[in-house]
């Protein structure tokens, strides 16, 4: 009798582990399929990642006010060890595959946690997957189009008496860290909405502590932005604050409602 009761108690944990194994397996297969595609296109992906190194934005007083200019002498990437090019291409292909498989991974995450949700909350699966992927893609695009050109132009041109010799492995690591950081940062509205939905925070609390959010945004911008000027810090902190405000609005619309007083 005791063994039977213990078996019944262990059964839910065993079921959860089995369910987790299934979700992980599907996610790994999705990443593997995507990796077969992205590795075949790794040279093209590397060209895309290398593009911000040889471009920058120039501000002018006449329209169109901002112009994209390329370096007259493009910088070349080098490698130190015979295996560095291969591992760099594999790393780029893996992160690209991870991004392509993101909708599948997020959907599997949702399917794993869905049994613990209320029936009315399970209908948020499609919006959750779609918005998570969208915000992550927006973060990548913002970093690729704005952050990397400014940061790389400043760092490479910091001392004109020094000539940069950049290795492909270190350069890709630098870009990937920035891209992932901003992809995650752009998930802020969704994270705030989920916290409000679970009752862990409220839009009133977030609005009341907006001044701390401003301070934190500039601290994060100072850490993520390698340039010391206030312009680039505002360029980074601005989207963070905008995302914070979007999160407050979303929390007001989709957060947990207070029960009506009887």
């Amino acid at each position: 009798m005791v063994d039977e009761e213990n078996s019944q108690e262990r059964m839910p944990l065993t079921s959860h582990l089995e369910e987790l194994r299934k979700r992980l397996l599907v996610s790994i297969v999705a990443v593997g399929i995507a990796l077969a595609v992205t590795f075949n296109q790794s040279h093209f992906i590397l060209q895309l990642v290398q593009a911000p190194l040889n471009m920058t934005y120039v501000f002018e007083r006449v329209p169109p006010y901002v112009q994209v200019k390329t370096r007259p002498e493009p910088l070349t990437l080098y490698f130190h060890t015979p295996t560095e090019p291969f591992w760099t291409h594999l790393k780029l292909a893996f992160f690209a595959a991870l991004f392509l498989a993101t909708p599948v991974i997020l959907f599997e995450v949702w399917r794993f946690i869905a049994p613990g949700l209320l029936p009315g909350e399970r209908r948020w699966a499609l919006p959750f997957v779609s918005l998570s992927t969208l915000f992550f893609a927006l973060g990548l695009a913002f970093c690729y189009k704005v952050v990397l050109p400014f940061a790389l132009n400043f760092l490479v041109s910091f001392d004109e008496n020094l000539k940069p010799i950049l290795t492909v492995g270190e350069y890709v690591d630098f870009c990937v860290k920035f891209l992932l950081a901003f992809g995650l940062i752009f998930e802020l509205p969704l994270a705030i909405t989920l916290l409000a939905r679970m009752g862990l925070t409220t839009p009133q609390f977030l609005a009341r502590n907006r001044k701390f959010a401003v301070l934190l945004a500039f601290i994060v911008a100072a850490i993520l932005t390698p340039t010391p000027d206030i312009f680039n810090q505002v360029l980074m902190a601005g989207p963070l604050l905008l995302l914070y405000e979007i999160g407050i609005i979303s929390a007001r619309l989709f957060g947990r409602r207070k029960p009506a007083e009887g």
Side-chain angles (χ1 to χ4, degrees):
M1 179 68 69
V2 174
D3 292 340
E4 184 177 352
E5 289 178 357
N6 292 336
S7 176
Q8 290 177 354
E9 290 179 358
R10 289 194 297 267
M11 193 63 183
L13 177 60
T14 306
S15 300
H16 283 310
L17 292 176
E18 179 65 22
E19 186 71 14
L20 178 61
R21 188 186 70 84
K22 291 180 181 178
R23 303 305 162 210
L24 287 175
L25 182 61
V26 173
S27 300
I28 292 172
V29 170
V31 173
I33 294 173
L35 182 60
V37 176
T38 56
F39 188 74
N40 189 47
Q41 299 295 324
S42 61
H43 288 83
F44 173 70
I45 298 172
L46 180 58
Q47 290 178 356
L48 288 179
V49 175
Q50 192 175 354
L53 180 61
N54 293 309
M55 63 176 287
T56 187
Y57 292 96
V58 177
F59 295 93
E60 299 178 346
R61 296 182 179 180
V62 295
Y65 301 111
V66 180
Q67 288 189 1
V68 180
K69 292 189 177 182
T70 58
R71 291 181 177 275
E73 297 181 3
L75 296 175
T76 304
L77 296 178
Y78 300 88
F79 63 91
H80 285 315
T81 63
T83 58
E84 189 172 358
F86 172 78
W87 287 113
T88 300
H89 279 271
L90 184 61
K91 184 184 299 183
L92 274 178
F94 174 75
F95 282 110
L98 202 61
F99 173 70
L100 290 180
T102 295
V104 177
I105 296 172
L106 291 175
F107 183 68
E108 292 303 314
V109 170
W110 185 268
R111 291 186 66 184
F112 179 72
I113 65 175
L117 300 176
L118 298 174
E121 295 175 334
R122 296 175 187 174
R123 61 188 175 90
W124 294 101
L126 182 59
F128 171 78
V129 173
S130 302
L131 290 175
S132 297
T133 306
L134 174 62
F135 281 116
F136 191 80
L138 288 175
L140 295 182
F142 177 77
C143 181
Y144 181 80
K145 287 292 187 180
V146 180
V147 179
L148 284 178
F150 277 109
L152 290 169
N153 182 65
F154 172 82
L155 294 172
V156 172
S157 306
F158 182 75
D159 191 338
E160 296 181 354
N161 296 320
L162 301 177
K163 185 177 181 180
I165 301 179
L166 305 175
T167 62
V168 63
E170 293 174 347
Y171 174 77
V172 167
D173 286 342
F174 178 87
C175 292
V176 166
K177 289 176 182 177
F178 264 67
L179 290 167
L180 288 178
F182 278 86
L184 294 175
I185 284 173
F186 270 64
E187 299 285 354
L188 182 61
L190 185 61
I192 290 176
T193 304
L194 289 176
L195 290 174
R197 190 72 188 174
M198 292 186 293
L200 299 179
T201 189
T202 63
Q204 294 78 15
F205 174 82
L206 296 172
R208 211 167 41 241
N209 293 276
R210 187 178 281 110
K211 56 183 179 293
F212 297 107
V214 173
L215 176 62
L216 184 60
F218 276 93
I219 293 175
V220 172
I223 295 173
L224 293 180
T225 308
T227 55
D229 57 285
I230 190 64
F231 172 76
N232 278 325
Q233 290 189 16
V234 171
L235 192 64
M236 298 302 103
L240 276 173
L241 294 176
L242 178 61
L243 292 168
Y244 185 79
E245 295 298 328
I246 293 174
I248 293 177
I249 295 173
S250 180
R252 293 184 191 277
L253 295 175
F254 304 108
R256 178 177 292 183
R257 298 282 188 266
K258 291 182 178 181
E261 295 182 0

